[in-house]
Amino acid sequence: MTTPVLPLTAGPAWIEDAAGNRVTLRGAFSLGRSASNQVALQDDRVSRRHAVIQAQGEGEYWLVDFGSRNGTYLNGRRITSPSRLRHRDAIRLGSSDLIFHQPDAGGTGVVSATLAGQTVTEIRTVACWLLVADIIDSSRLVREVAPEELPLITGQWLSECKLTVEGHGGRINQFLGDGFFAFWRDRPGIEPDLEGALQTLQRLQQEGRPPFRLAVHQGSLTIGGTPLGEEERLSGQEVHFAFRMEKLAGSLGHTRLLSEPAWRRLSPLVPAREAGAHALHGFDGQFRFYAF
């Protein structure tokens, strides 16, 4: 998984059903049989909590299946991991057909026209907790797992991770191929929430379906600018630091890694051992890390 790159701002996006009904997409947009979804589909082949279309970065929308039994199809192919949507992509859930529209994505001359119609939020520096999770050796998983089982494993994992993060006060800000990037705004007394989330994620790791790695960092980053839908734009060196950490964890053979700032706050609650001082690409000096 690579560090997210923020593309140019694009125009509005929507989905359209076979009857021509349109629904504008904002933030994390859920689809399923349950009435609690933004789009509720009365279809027995659709799961109650089937999939989500998530706005992230700027100008990107990703389709994520949550391990539905009958699958989510993008342009006729069942998706096995979060998939970027393009203008006029065809989405099928059960017997329901939807078309994704984002006609201004990637066009030149779009930015100034789009910004004029958007609310530019205040840019501010906020202390946050960052978590990066990535499936280990996803190509091996593809080889070893039956094609019909793979989307169930990856989708159910993403669903459980999302419920875990949100259940402990955080948010998944981006789905990225074989993993995700989540954050919590820092506040006094947040440590038990983080401990609870990490304990649940550790139990998922022990189940090993799929095997995954995670890295946790604490630092200040920039939030704001022009958001896409309801998702906040996060940027700054600390974001890149967290993604470099996850790569470092893989090279060291650790499945869970804390940065030193995160360890200082969590050490009374989360047992950890020193993993040494290491350099990170793009950063000066060496930094101490802790495996837990």
Side-chain angles (χ1 to χ4, degrees):
M1 181 169 61
T2 58
T3 308
V5 177
L6 301 179
L8 292 177
T9 301
W14 66 92
I15 54 172
E16 183 175 345
D17 66 15
N21 300 307
R22 295 183 176 187
V23 180
T24 301
L25 298 172
R26 297 185 63 81
F29 196 88
S30 62
L31 305 98
R33 200 173 69 250
S34 171
S36 62
N37 293 288
Q38 276 80 16
V39 168
L41 301 169
Q42 302 305 310
D43 185 338
D44 290 340
R45 299 185 65 231
V46 171
S47 300
R48 291 181 57 81
R49 191 168 175 270
H50 195 106
V52 67
I53 297 175
Q54 174 137 335
Q56 52 192 57
E58 286 188 60
E60 291 186 11
Y61 289 84
W62 287 62
L63 177 64
V64 184
D65 180 81
F66 284 149
S68 60
R69 177 58 58 182
N70 292 309
T72 300
Y73 290 79
L74 179 60
N75 298 322
R77 299 186 63 179
R78 185 170 184 171
I79 63 172
T80 59
S81 62
S83 301
R84 171 94 181 265
L85 289 170
R86 311 285 179 178
H87 180 49
R88 297 200 62 80
D89 274 348
I91 302 168
R92 168 164 278 207
L93 295 78
S95 59
S96 301
D97 291 308
L98 304 168
I99 300 296
F100 171 79
H101 293 273
Q102 191 185 15
D104 292 337
T108 58
V110 173
V111 177
S112 59
T114 304
L115 288 177
Q118 290 183 328
T119 300
V120 178
T121 61
E122 178 187 359
I123 297 175
R124 57 210 182 278
T125 301
V126 179
C128 290
W129 290 81
L130 309 177
L131 184 150
V132 179
D134 194 24
I135 293 176
I136 298 171
D137 199 356
S138 57
S139 59
R140 178 180 176 182
L141 188 68
V142 171
R143 293 193 304 269
E144 294 181 348
V145 174
E148 65 274 13
E149 188 180 3
L150 181 61
L152 300 180
I153 292 174
T154 57
Q156 288 169 6
W157 172 68
L158 287 171
S159 177
E160 290 172 349
C161 288
K162 188 173 189 295
L163 289 172
T164 296
V165 169
E166 293 176 352
H168 290 88
R171 285 174 62 184
I172 290 185
N173 185 256
Q174 296 196 31
F175 291 100
L176 298 162
D178 296 323
F180 63 87
F181 168 51
F183 79 104
W184 287 254
R185 292 196 185 204
D186 201 4
R187 58 176 172 76
I190 195 175
E191 291 84 356
D193 276 333
L194 292 162
E195 179 202 18
L198 294 179
Q199 283 183 346
T200 301
L201 292 172
Q202 186 172 349
R203 285 197 294 270
L204 292 177
Q205 283 183 319
Q206 291 168 350
E207 293 173 6
R209 290 176 65 83
F212 68 99
R213 185 168 46 238
L214 59 88
V216 181
H217 179 46
Q218 192 276 330
S220 296
L221 58 149
T222 300
I223 296 182
T226 304
L228 182 67
E230 297 166 359
E231 291 304 310
E232 296 185 278
R233 178 181 175 181
L234 309 181
S235 59
Q237 284 293 92
E238 305 298 345
V239 175
H240 295 282
F241 191 97
F243 278 86
R244 300 295 186 193
M245 268 186 68
E246 189 275 323
K247 293 292 186 185
L248 175 67
S251 67
L252 296 176
H254 294 304
T255 57
R256 297 181 296 276
L257 203 63
L258 295 172
S259 67
E260 186 168 16
W263 172 79
R264 286 175 183 159
R265 296 275 299 275
L266 291 177
S267 57
L269 299 174
V270 179
R273 64 185 187 280
E274 288 198 33
H278 304 275
L280 292 181
H281 180 69
F283 294 85
D284 294 330
Q286 292 195 326
F287 304 88
R288 302 204 68 81
F289 298 96
Y290 298 81
F292 67 100

